Amino acid sequence: SSNPGMNDEWGLANISPIEDFYLELTFTTQESCSGLDRYGVIARAPDPNQGYVFGFSCDGRFRLYVWDGIRYQPIQEWKSSPQIKEGPNQTNRLGIYLLGDQIKLYANGQLISEYNDSTFTEGRFGVFIGADQTTNFQVSLDEALYWKLGN
């Protein structure tokens, strides 16, 4: 599609903006989950329509992009990871570590990739979901934990 970020929908947690942190979210897919049905996190969101978006897909891939409210700017396009459990009725822990311009991505406690980007320095975080194959695609968020880093 011309704008691959536009079908992702999210909501932000009601917390104060934070800069450096490690955030881990535990999701469980439901009885229908395939292809690029996806879910994950928006982080360092300065407002509800901007931030880093890190997601897992139901076919075991991940991606990371910058969303500025208008433009989808990929840092990592969809890439397979053996650490991500595919398909329905699976539980995955998605982790994102943000310290300065360092971004580290985790799946089920394992580091899967790292990048440097300084588009966003602080903000709130939230969860997102996007349907590709499944009408009314759903996942459950079982747990969300975060740790502040640095000072």
Side-chain angles (χ1 to χ4, degrees):
S1 66
S2 60
N3 201 333
M6 72 188 299
N7 296 325
D8 294 345
E9 296 176 36
W10 49 73
L12 295 182
N14 191 10
I15 58 158
S16 298
I18 52 176
E19 287 176 46
D20 298 325
F21 58 94
Y22 175 71
L23 168 67
E24 192 171 78
L25 301 164
T26 304
F27 292 95
T28 301
T29 58
Q30 306 299 296
E31 60 278 354
S32 192
C33 179
S34 63
L36 290 179
D37 290 338
R38 57 198 175 268
Y39 54 92
V41 65
I42 180 167
R44 278 192 183 163
D47 68 55
N49 204 29
Q50 297 183 66
Y52 292 114
V53 183
F54 168 40
F56 289 173
S57 68
C58 286
D59 64 3
R61 290 184 274 175
F62 71 95
R63 77 170 168 184
L64 175 68
Y65 66 90
V66 169
W67 182 248
D68 65 6
I70 300 155
R71 226 158 34 100
Y72 166 89
Q73 194 180 330
I75 296 174
Q76 173 64 63
E77 288 285 19
W78 287 117
K79 182 179 179 181
S80 289
S81 169
Q83 309 299 340
I84 300 169
K85 296 176 196 160
E86 299 179 36
N89 305 308
Q90 294 285 356
T91 297
N92 279 301
R93 279 186 300 133
L94 175 153
I96 184 167
Y97 172 103
L98 294 160
L99 181 64
D101 69 354
Q102 287 181 67
I103 304 173
K104 297 181 184 180
L105 305 181
Y106 293 82
N108 296 306
Q110 303 291 313
L111 178 66
I112 54 172
S113 213
E114 38 192 314
Y115 310 91
N116 292 87
D117 188 90
S118 55
T119 307
F120 301 113
T121 55
E122 70 165 20
R124 291 157 62 199
F125 59 76
V127 295
F128 88 86
I129 188 167
D132 175 58
Q133 299 289 319
T134 305
T135 311
N136 302 320
F137 174 58
Q138 293 182 335
V139 293
S140 64
L141 174 62
D142 305 323
E143 191 171 48
L145 301 168
Y146 72 95
W147 295 262
K148 290 189 179 183
L149 304 171
N151 298 321

